[in-house]
Amino acid sequence: MPATEINYDGLVGPTHHYGGLSPGNLASQRHAHQASRPRQAAIEGLDKARFLRSLGVAQAIIPPQHRPDIDTLRRVGFTGRDHEVLANARREDRSLLACAASASAMWAANAATVSPGADTHDGRVHFTPANLVSQFHRSLEAPATARTLRALFPDDAHFAHHLPLPASMRFRDEGAANHTRLTGAVGEPGVELFVFGRDIDDRTSHRPRRFPARQTLDASRAVARAHGLHPQRTLFAQQNPAAIDAGAFHNDVVAVGHEHVMLYHEHAFVETPTLTTQLRSAYRRLTQRDPLLIEVPHAEVSLPDAIGSYLFNSQLVTLPDGAMALVCPAECRERPLTHRYLERLEARGDNPIAQVHFVRVRQSMENGGGPACLRLRVVLTDEQRAAAHQGVMLTDELDGKLRAWVERHYREHLSPDDLADPRLLEESRQALDELTTLLDLPGLYDFQR
Ligand code: SUG
């Protein structure tokens, strides 16, 4: 059945800032409390989406969430009118204010796990919004993400929406950032690979010592079960604790897969040979062909280099002529080792990666989010695509309107002190209110009801 992989990019919200909120995410820690540039962040995201469209990739956007999240600040005990709630939070606990103001929903790879209809028991596209419970600021996203996904994929005949997994340590879930699909071609069934950081029962002895493992095996299994995936085409693999401790808080920082290709770091997984054997045989059973598993040796690109450059957080996409392009963060070009590796990969001729491109998403990168973090891949048949909400599909016209909207509403700079500014709350509301008209999503936000 004809199908398309659509990249739904998280549109950066007006409160983008550096809160230092994610332990284990080195960039977030490094840039903590620096001034941010929300307008630049949003434009960089739109530039990336425009560039991908120029390569022939279908693009849509996921609207930002409403921040600062006053309701959450009230739930944790701050009282008064909105501006008092903000001022009290700033006085008593700045980190809570930073959490409530985080624009972290921009990293759409953490919005949900998505299984295309070709993989699920009932032929519908299944969505499980990630509960993101391992980081407080990110856990705030789940309810609004669930509502947004229902608005973007509204027809029960085509789309199945699950609740986020129970909000407990046992079911820590970070969505598509720990989920890869290998398939013969878009629209065909695939092998779904779920990568977890920790088995909560410690049925294995591997676990990170320095930084949190943000995905559990129980969560991955629960999502696979809920989506009705075929057991023979579903694999679970553990992330190497050494990778987590080196700063790979999600698997998409050390591996990327698309169609029949997976590019991964030598130290990405525990027991890599077992995993690659399982992947090959599941893939072969499904397609009668071999997948192309490209292991990047530590000797060529060290784990710190991979994490520093976000080499694996690149987007691997199919071009209209069937070849592939790897769209990397500009940081990969700035580091001689990764740049040289990419030049060799492009020139090698033993893989379909015919083009390597670099995009600049600096503001997101400084919080630990590269190009691949900013998008959620959704494979839709033509019929499903027609049933999806059309207002968020990127066209030249919508792109132009969004740029003008960003210029009108976003601040150029934001410092940690600005987060309690009641005018920022008002500006964000106005911006989002107008956005719902641009995207034809009336009443998306609570404050509009
Ligand atoms: O969850 N950063 C995000 C980055 C997410 C990247 N996503 C993927 N790898 N798919 C995180 O750690 C930092 C926010 C701050 O510190 O202000 C943050 O949430």
Side-chain angles (χ1 to χ4, degrees):
M1 204 177 298
T4 315
E5 179 177 280
I6 305 183
N7 279 275
Y8 281 77
D9 277 31
L11 180 59
V12 178
T15 61
H16 156 67
H17 71 98
Y18 299 119
L21 303 175
S22 283
N25 169 342
L26 305 182
S28 144
Q29 298 303 295
R30 199 175 318 119
H31 296 94
H33 316 308
Q34 294 187 3
S36 61
R37 293 174 165 268
R39 188 186 295 182
Q40 180 185 326
I43 296 294
E44 283 177 347
L46 288 170
D47 285 347
K48 172 178 93 75
R50 177 150 77 185
F51 179 69
L52 273 124
R53 283 208 302 128
S54 78
L55 295 179
V57 174
Q59 279 285 161
I61 60 144
I62 300 184
Q65 299 197 356
H66 174 229
R67 297 289 183 272
D69 182 346
I70 298 286
D71 290 345
T72 292
L73 291 174
R74 289 187 192 284
R75 274 177 72 190
V76 297
F78 297 108
T79 54
R81 315 229 333 251
D82 287 354
H83 69 274
E84 291 163 330
V85 166
L86 290 167
N88 292 339
R90 177 175 167 217
R91 198 176 44 246
E92 265 191 52
D93 192 334
R94 278 169 175 260
S95 81
L96 283 178
L97 176 62
C99 287
S102 179
S104 53
M106 70 169 86
W107 297 298
N110 302 117
T113 307
V114 186
S115 296
D119 295 356
T120 63
H121 67 103
D122 58 5
R124 294 187 297 168
V125 184
H126 282 239
F127 298 86
T128 298
N131 61 24
L132 294 165
V133 286
S134 74
Q135 313 287 333
F136 175 61
H137 68 293
R138 303 228 54 187
S139 70
L140 307 180
E141 296 167 36
T145 300
R147 191 186 318 140
T148 301
L149 290 175
R150 281 178 189 275
L152 300 192
F153 304 98
D155 185 342
D156 286 348
H158 295 291
F159 308 115
H161 293 279
H162 302 276
L163 290 174
L165 296 177
S168 83
M169 293 305 270
R170 177 168 180 167
F171 289 108
R172 270 173 279 170
D173 178 25
E174 303 270 326
N178 293 321
H179 176 244
T180 310
R181 266 184 94 239
L182 292 188
T183 164
V186 180
E188 289 179 8
V191 176
E192 297 206 11
L193 170 63
F194 290 81
V195 183
F196 60 94
R198 170 114 195 249
D199 176 351
I200 206 74
D201 288 339
D202 276 327
R203 283 168 281 218
T204 70
S205 59
H206 310 287
R207 66 162 113 154
R209 315 225 164 264
R210 243 177 116 200
F211 293 139
R214 289 168 60 165
Q215 178 90 29
T216 62
L217 175 57
D218 277 336
S220 300
R221 282 197 199 286
V223 172
R225 227 176 357 248
H227 291 195
L229 303 181
H230 196 297
Q232 282 196 337
R233 306 201 301 255
T234 309
L235 297 177
F236 301 92
Q238 187 169 5
Q239 209 185 343
N240 185 348
I244 296 177
D245 280 341
F249 52 97
H250 290 135
N251 183 61
D252 68 3
V253 177
V254 281
V256 55
H258 174 68
E259 296 189 2
H260 68 293
V261 180
M262 188 165 87
L263 183 73
Y264 61 97
H265 192 269
E266 180 185 350
H267 296 321
F269 306 103
V270 164
E271 293 163 20
T272 304
T274 315
L275 171 62
T276 50
T277 307
Q278 287 174 341
L279 255 182
R280 277 183 214 288
S281 77
Y283 186 86
R284 221 180 273 138
R285 221 175 10 243
L286 183 65
T287 65
Q288 282 76 55
R289 275 168 290 163
D290 281 321
L292 181 63
L293 306 180
I294 309 175
E295 182 168 303
V296 180
H298 186 70
E300 284 185 50
V301 178
S302 71
L303 209 42
D305 256 306
I307 292 163
S309 65
Y310 263 44
L311 168 64
F312 295 91
N313 206 256
S314 302
Q315 291 180 246
L316 191 52
V317 296
T318 303
L319 301 166
D321 67 0
M324 286 188 188
L326 191 67
V327 181
C328 309
E331 285 72 1
C332 292
R333 189 171 41 191
E334 290 155 15
R335 290 182 168 238
L337 269 182
T338 43
H339 194 204
R340 269 205 300 279
Y341 176 79
L342 287 167
E343 281 178 336
R344 283 199 300 276
L345 183 72
E346 195 179 10
R348 246 162 49 179
D350 62 350
N351 67 70
I353 302 173
Q355 302 176 11
V356 173
H357 299 285
F358 300 93
V359 290
R360 200 184 136 103
V361 286
R362 197 76 93 206
Q363 289 285 307
S364 170
M365 283 286 283
E366 291 180 348
N367 249 340
C373 299
L374 287 160
R375 59 96 172 94
L376 182 67
R377 291 178 285 186
V378 184
V379 174
L380 299 176
T381 62
D382 289 354
E383 218 182 328
Q384 290 161 344
R385 191 174 180 176
H389 180 67
Q390 299 301 305
V392 293
M393 301 294 179
L394 260 183
T395 56
D396 286 343
E397 189 190 347
L398 180 59
D399 181 47
K401 285 184 181 167
L402 289 172
R403 283 166 195 273
W405 170 82
V406 169
E407 300 292 343
R408 257 196 321 280
H409 293 285
Y410 281 46
R411 293 191 183 187
E412 204 159 334
H413 298 274
L414 209 54
S415 74
D417 279 341
D418 296 331
L419 301 178
D421 179 355
R423 281 169 309 181
L424 180 68
L425 178 68
E426 197 38 50
E427 286 162 25
S428 303
R429 282 192 181 147
Q430 266 178 22
L432 298 185
D433 191 42
E434 198 181 309
L435 182 66
T436 55
T437 307
L438 288 183
L439 303 180
D440 189 22
L441 287 167
L444 180 70
Y445 297 105
D446 277 338
F447 69 84
Q448 294 177 305
R449 295 182 195 158

